[in-house]
């Protein structure tokens, strides 16, 4: 049992080190030797868990997928509207991206040439499915205009959210993401939410930004 725990800890250390390097310098520019040095493990330890760099990329995408699905479940708590659940999900991802190199690396891998291995879907496909379901439910709950084209809105929201993170990576600290997420929602709420419900969600966006701000 102790040996298994050590092996799992070593595997997690390697994944975190690889994610940090993939995020900071890119997948193509990172070698297995770089990862060994950064993780402070032996080459034998790395090859015991991962036969190739592609295996590490896939492991990161798997962890990102599991995290996003867990957050989607957690934010859809009883008593919350679908729009609130969606807003909370985006703020959670923004906050955790500032803290977790695996989520940051997952985004960089998703926007590059790396493709997930079946049956894992591409991250953007998963995000579009989650966002579309939340928006469709929000229409039923009268929190989004009934004439909104859900497919178009979902695509625009995912592009908006991913784009702010990609552009922000080159221009500003990752801790700025909660503010950018709030700005995104301020624009979307004014275009999607009926006037009678708008103040509630604008207030929620401001509150979620404060709760997501780094300490």
């Amino acid at each position: 049992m102790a040996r298994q725990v050590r092996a799992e800890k070593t595997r997690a250390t390697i994944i975190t080190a690889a994610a940090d390097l993939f995020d900071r310098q890119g997948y193509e520019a990172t070698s297995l030797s770089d990862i060994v040095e950064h993780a402070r493990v032996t080459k034998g330890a790395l090859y015991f868990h991962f036969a190739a760099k592609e295996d590490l990329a896939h492991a990161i995408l798997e962890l990102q997928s599991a995290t996003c699905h867990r957050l989607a479940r957690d934010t859809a708590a009883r008593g919350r509207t679908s729009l609130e659940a969606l807003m909370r999900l985006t703020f959670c991802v923004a906050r955790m991206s500032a803290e977790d190199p695996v989520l940051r690396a997952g985004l960089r891998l998703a926007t590059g040439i790396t493709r997930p291995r079946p049956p894992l879907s591409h991250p953007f496909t998963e995000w579009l499915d989650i966002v579309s379901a939340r928006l469709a439910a929000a229409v039923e709950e009268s929190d989004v205009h009934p004439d909104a084209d859900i497919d178009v809105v979902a695509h625009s929201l995912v592009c908006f959210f991913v784009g702010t993170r990609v552009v922000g990576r080159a221009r500003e600290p990752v801790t700025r993401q909660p503010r950018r997420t709030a700005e995104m929602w301020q624009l979307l709420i004014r275009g999607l939410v009926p006037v009678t419900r708008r103040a509630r969600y604008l207030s929620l966006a401001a509150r979620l930004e404060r709760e997501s701000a780094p300490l």
Side-chain angles (χ1 to χ4, degrees):
M1 182 63 71
R3 181 179 298 177
Q4 181 180 349
V5 171
R6 287 197 299 272
E8 290 175 353
K9 184 177 180 180
T10 299
R11 185 177 189 275
T13 297
I14 294 169
I15 290 174
T16 300
D20 186 46
L21 291 176
F22 290 166
D23 172 54
R24 289 193 289 111
Q25 62 191 38
Y27 176 80
E28 295 293 331
T30 300
S31 68
L32 288 176
S33 296
D34 293 334
I35 296 168
V36 165
E37 181 178 355
H38 194 48
R40 297 183 179 180
V41 299
T42 65
K43 285 188 176 180
L46 186 147
Y47 283 114
F48 176 79
H49 293 283
F50 303 100
K53 190 168 66 168
E54 291 84 353
D55 297 328
L56 272 163
H58 183 67
I60 289 169
L61 290 172
E62 282 187 321
L63 284 172
Q64 177 187 249
S65 175
T67 299
C68 288
H69 281 286
R70 175 178 59 79
L71 291 175
R73 292 192 301 270
D74 291 347
T75 52
R78 185 176 300 175
R80 289 177 182 162
T81 66
S82 298
L83 185 56
E84 177 179 350
L86 178 57
M87 291 175 66
R88 286 183 176 276
L89 174 60
T90 59
F91 277 97
C92 281
V93 172
R95 184 186 70 249
M96 289 187 65
S97 294
E99 304 166 353
D100 188 350
V102 171
L103 286 184
R104 295 196 301 273
L107 174 66
R108 185 153 188 180
L109 289 169
T111 55
I113 63 173
T114 306
R115 291 293 178 266
R117 297 171 184 165
L120 190 66
S121 300
H122 193 283
F124 297 162
T125 300
E126 293 185 339
W127 298 354
L128 282 167
D129 290 343
I130 292 170
V131 172
S132 295
R134 293 283 188 273
L135 287 172
V139 170
E140 294 295 322
E141 295 163 5
S142 300
D143 280 333
V144 168
H145 288 298
D147 58 349
D149 187 321
I150 297 303
D151 290 338
V152 171
V153 175
H155 185 270
S156 299
L157 192 155
V158 171
C159 289
F160 199 157
F161 187 58
V162 171
T164 58
R165 293 172 65 196
V166 172
V167 173
R169 182 172 61 209
R171 296 179 55 86
E172 57 193 18
V174 69
T175 52
R176 182 72 172 168
Q177 284 305 306
R179 171 86 285 251
R180 294 303 187 194
T181 303
E183 292 169 349
M184 175 190 78
W185 278 112
Q186 288 165 7
L187 292 173
L188 290 172
I189 288 166
R190 287 182 170 88
L192 292 174
V193 180
V195 174
T196 54
R197 299 173 185 249
R198 201 170 292 169
R200 170 188 178 182
Y201 289 105
L202 288 172
S203 176
L204 176 62
R207 177 158 57 86
L208 292 176
E209 180 193 354
R210 291 193 298 270
E211 293 175 357
S212 302
L215 298 177

